[in-house]
Amino acid sequence: SKQIMGISNAIPSLLLSILMFGVLGNYAQLTSDFYSTTCPNVTVIARSLIKQASRSDVRLTAKVMRLHFHDCFVNGCDGSVLLDAAPADGVEGEKEAFQNAGSLDGFEVIDDIKTALENVCPGVVSCADILAIAAEISVSLAGGPSWDVLFGRRDGRTANRGDAVTALPLGPDSLEILTSKFSVHNLDTTDLVALSGAHTFGRVQCGVITNRLHNFSGNNGQSDPTIEPEFLQTLRRQCPQGGSLTARVNLDDTSPDSFDNDYFKNLQNNRGVIESDQILFSSTGSPTVSLVNRFAENQSEFFRNFARSMIKMGNVRVLTGTEGEIRRDCRRVN
């Protein structure tokens, strides 16, 4: 009977390890102490540079967070979004993809972090890892949650503009399309809603929402009926028909530079700026609606889920071990 007990005691822990592996996938390859001996000051150096840069640019934290997201969604978290186009090296810049062109920003602070790290521990810290830690620092500096960033990613040697166009979400995406763009990376509905909450800070260009305001479903003069009427007038004033497509509006009208749960409260009031944001709440009967309600009601629950989803996203198709390289310059392959 002792033997049987031993077996039955082993089963829960075996199940747990299977479950953990199922949830964590190749997380085991990344560790929070990866640089503890080779470059112990990674976080300190990155934090001081982001803090400094955000003093002169209130939008910096949102920009840096977006870089990590746009990196991971295109062929995994491999730093490819940072590469400048270099046809001779077979590198098509993802920066020129429709969803990135003219709007993706924050590259300079990543360069500064890389330069500083190359000075103290040359050839050690990957650009992909810099993006991961910079995103966490940016969120926490803006008042959001902190989490243990896992390290050990290596940098990819290619970038693909076409893949970026296919993989990255678009403003008019339906809930079905959004869900499938996330599920490709094993990110579920909770991840979709939690990560969309990053739109609690930052700005969006008028070009992304102009059809929603003035030409909804291809009907000239029509606007998306889900927009709260007063808010619609505000947005139309900020993005007039025929106006500048590069002018920017706050993604979160109530606290544009703070990382909080106001984004979800805005959705409840039909004041989501981008169509693919509001659709999370306006899709009656979808599981996204109850998640929006939960996160609107409880900021710490949103923060917990956001941190969990960021760790999960940061592990999408990572290169480890001898794969890829450690770039000396984040903008070009070695």
Side-chain angles (χ1 to χ4, degrees):
S1 71
K2 272 187 180 171
Q3 202 173 4
I4 292 168
M5 271 184 68
I7 291 169
S8 66
N9 285 344
I11 288 169
S13 61
L14 178 68
L15 270 176
L16 184 68
S17 64
I18 291 168
L19 277 171
M20 288 298 281
F21 189 76
V23 173
L24 301 177
N26 57 7
Y27 285 27
Q29 299 175 33
L30 302 183
T31 59
S32 55
D33 60 357
F34 189 82
Y35 296 116
S36 61
T37 53
T38 52
C39 199
N41 291 329
V42 170
T43 305
V44 175
I45 289 168
R47 178 175 280 271
S48 75
L49 287 166
I50 291 170
K51 212 170 179 176
Q52 194 183 319
S54 62
R55 284 193 194 114
S56 54
D57 179 5
V58 74
R59 292 170 44 226
L60 183 88
T61 50
K63 291 174 182 178
V64 170
M65 165 68 224
R66 187 168 177 242
L67 280 178
H68 182 43
F69 182 93
H70 282 229
D71 181 35
C72 293
F73 260 61
V74 185
N75 300 321
C77 311
D78 60 353
S80 59
V81 73
L82 301 171
L83 289 170
D84 289 337
D89 298 325
V91 175
E92 297 178 17
E94 290 169 22
K95 295 173 183 179
E96 285 78 34
F98 176 73
Q99 293 94 319
N100 292 337
S103 71
L104 207 60
D105 207 349
F107 297 103
E108 288 74 16
V109 75
I110 303 299
D111 291 337
D112 291 346
I113 295 167
K114 181 62 177 169
T115 302
L117 291 172
E118 286 297 305
N119 284 336
V120 290
C121 32
V124 172
V125 183
S126 68
C127 300
D129 275 350
I130 291 173
L131 284 178
I133 189 61
E136 188 275 339
I137 290 165
S138 295
V139 169
S140 68
L141 282 177
S146 295
W147 58 91
D148 276 342
V149 177
L150 302 179
F151 293 117
R153 298 167 194 79
R154 287 170 66 87
D155 297 320
R157 297 180 52 81
T158 58
N160 190 309
R161 189 180 315 164
D163 288 348
V165 172
T166 307
L168 292 168
L170 284 161
D173 279 351
S174 68
L175 191 53
E176 200 182 350
I177 291 172
L178 281 177
T179 304
S180 73
K181 283 182 177 179
F182 275 70
S183 66
V184 163
H185 306 301
N186 293 321
L187 297 169
D188 59 24
T189 305
T190 306
D191 300 315
L192 164 62
V193 178
L195 292 171
S196 297
H199 285 169
T200 183
F201 64 173
R203 314 282 187 273
V204 65
Q205 292 189 358
C206 287
V208 174
I209 60 170
T210 188
N211 282 347
R212 187 178 185 222
L213 304 178
H214 306 289
N215 192 28
F216 191 63
S217 299
N219 298 317
N220 192 29
Q222 292 293 308
S223 56
D224 181 345
T226 62
I227 309 174
E228 191 269 323
E230 211 174 294
F231 191 51
L232 172 63
Q233 296 315 314
T234 302
L235 290 176
R236 282 182 145 187
R237 273 196 303 276
Q238 292 174 309
C239 299
Q241 194 158 16
S244 163
L245 296 180
T246 54
R248 291 183 171 86
V249 298
N250 294 329
L251 281 165
D252 171 357
D253 200 37
T254 42
S255 53
D257 302 312
S258 300
F259 198 99
D260 52 33
N261 68 337
D262 283 357
Y263 164 86
F264 298 103
K265 296 174 186 173
N266 294 339
L267 299 188
Q268 288 178 320
N269 295 319
N270 294 320
R271 295 168 74 93
V273 176
I274 304 176
E275 202 176 328
S276 57
D277 286 328
Q278 190 58 50
I279 211 166
L280 301 176
F281 187 72
S282 303
S283 303
T284 313
S286 160
T288 58
V289 177
S290 60
L291 285 161
V292 169
N293 288 332
R294 262 173 55 197
F295 296 159
E297 209 170 293
N298 188 330
Q299 180 165 282
S300 55
E301 189 172 354
F302 162 48
F303 280 9
R304 247 194 328 276
N305 279 279
F306 183 80
R308 182 182 155 276
S309 295
M310 284 296 291
I311 293 169
K312 208 169 153 187
M313 183 189 79
N315 285 270
V316 169
R317 289 172 61 184
V318 293
L319 302 172
T320 57
T322 55
E323 300 168 312
E325 64 182 17
I326 305 294
R327 273 183 234 145
R328 286 186 293 273
D329 175 345
C330 289
R331 292 175 184 260
R332 49 191 62 83
V333 296
N334 291 346

